[in-house]
Each structure stands twice: as structure tokens, then as C-alpha cells.
């Protein structure tokens, strides 16, 4: 797999496969290529805390509703920006560590991408109708 696709062009599921099942040399090659580098991904929220989200990043883990990424934030995420459990969302993080069995990648410097607070539109005021001045 590593000879066909360079690690920084692999998707998350491929990283997970190599880091879980690959020979130690292949694991080292992938980890060296991605560790500490900002990656942007899409995942599904499994659970959230103000400074840490548990995310399913591979399609197998999304189906199983099982986290395979711990995304850590430097500051608390505002409550209005925290996605609901089960929501799909875009994020950025830097791979910091991993365990291969069960697989879990910890990503630091988490950032929400395209995060928008719940839309609140101000109530429209009805138009003011004034009577013409009497002459």
C-alpha cells in the first residue's frame, strides 16, 4: 500500500490500516509523514467535551458508531459551535500519537472548519403605516 500511495496522499482509513496492520517499517514511514502536520478531514461526532471530541473518521467506525480519533482543542469550544452526537463535520488537527489496538489517533490543535453558530435571524418588524397629515 505504501509503495502505491505516499502517506500524505492516503486517506484516514488507509493510515488506520497501515498503523494497525502494517509492518513496523511501514508504520514508521506513515507516522513520520503525518505526525505533527495539520490535516483536514471529515468525521462523525461520537461524543464531545468542551476541549475534546471523540470522532469516527473511517467508514467502518462511522458505521459502528465507534471513535477512532480524539481531537483535542487548545481552548474550550463555544457551546453553540459544538456539533451534536452523530453529526458529520469538517475539522483540522495534527496527529500527535496513536495506539494500534484498538486503534485511536490523538490529534492536537483541533479546529472546527466551516463552523457556524445556529442561525438566529432577528424578527422582522411589521412596516409602519402612517396616516397622511390632515390639512
Amino acid at each position: 500500500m505504501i509503495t502505491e500511495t505516499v502517506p500524505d496522499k492516503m486517506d484516514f482509513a488507509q493510515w488506520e490500516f497501515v498503523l494497525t496492520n502494517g509492518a513496523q517499517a511501514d508504520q514508521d514511514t506513515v507516522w513520520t509523514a503525518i505526525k505533527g502536520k495539520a490535516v483536514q478531514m471529515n468525521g462523525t461526532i461520537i461524543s464531545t467535551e468542551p476541549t475534546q471530541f471523540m470522532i469516527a473518521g473511517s467508514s467502518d467506525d462511522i458505521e459502528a458508531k465507534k471513535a477512532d480519533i480524539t481531537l483535542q482543542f487548545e481552548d474550550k469550544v463555544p457551546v453553540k459551535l459544538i456539533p451534536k452526537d452523530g453529526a458529520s463535520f469538517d475539522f483540522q488537527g495534527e496527529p500527535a500519537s496513536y495506539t494500534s489496538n484498538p486503534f485511536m489517533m490523538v490529534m492536537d490543535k483541533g479546529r472546527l472548519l466551516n463552523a457556524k453558530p445556529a442561525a438566529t435571524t432577528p424578527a422582522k418588524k411589521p412596516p409602519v403605516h402612517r396616516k397622511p397629515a390632515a390639512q
Side-chain angles (χ1 to χ4, degrees):
M1 186 179 284
I2 289 185
T3 58
E4 295 173 17
T5 310
V6 293
D8 56 357
K9 300 289 184 212
M10 292 179 174
D11 64 23
F12 181 77
Q14 291 171 307
W15 291 342
E16 183 173 349
F17 181 82
V18 172
L19 294 173
T20 303
N21 302 301
Q24 188 62 50
D26 293 339
Q27 290 180 31
D28 293 345
T29 298
V30 168
W31 187 245
T32 300
I34 65 173
K35 183 179 181 186
K37 295 188 177 139
V39 293
Q40 295 182 351
M41 298 177 47
N42 180 276
T44 299
I45 293 289
I46 302 301
S47 65
T48 60
E49 294 176 20
T51 59
Q52 174 176 290
F53 293 0
M54 301 303 288
I55 303 165
S58 67
S59 56
D60 289 346
D61 288 332
I62 290 170
E63 275 185 36
K65 295 179 173 49
K66 179 180 155 225
D68 52 14
I69 299 170
T70 302
L71 181 64
Q72 298 177 333
F73 297 89
E74 292 177 350
D75 298 313
K76 285 185 177 182
V77 176
V79 173
K80 64 185 176 186
L81 296 180
I82 295 177
K84 293 184 175 6
D85 289 1
S88 177
F89 80 114
D90 296 322
F91 65 94
Q92 178 177 303
E94 295 181 9
S97 65
Y98 75 96
T99 53
S100 56
N101 192 10
F103 186 81
M104 177 61 67
M105 181 178 288
V106 176
M107 291 187 177
D108 291 338
K109 299 181 183 171
R111 280 187 40 214
L112 301 179
L113 302 176
N114 304 322
K116 296 176 186 153
T120 55
T121 54
K124 290 188 176 183
K125 294 181 181 177
V128 176
H129 296 286
R130 300 184 192 273
K131 293 182 182 178
Q135 296 183 357

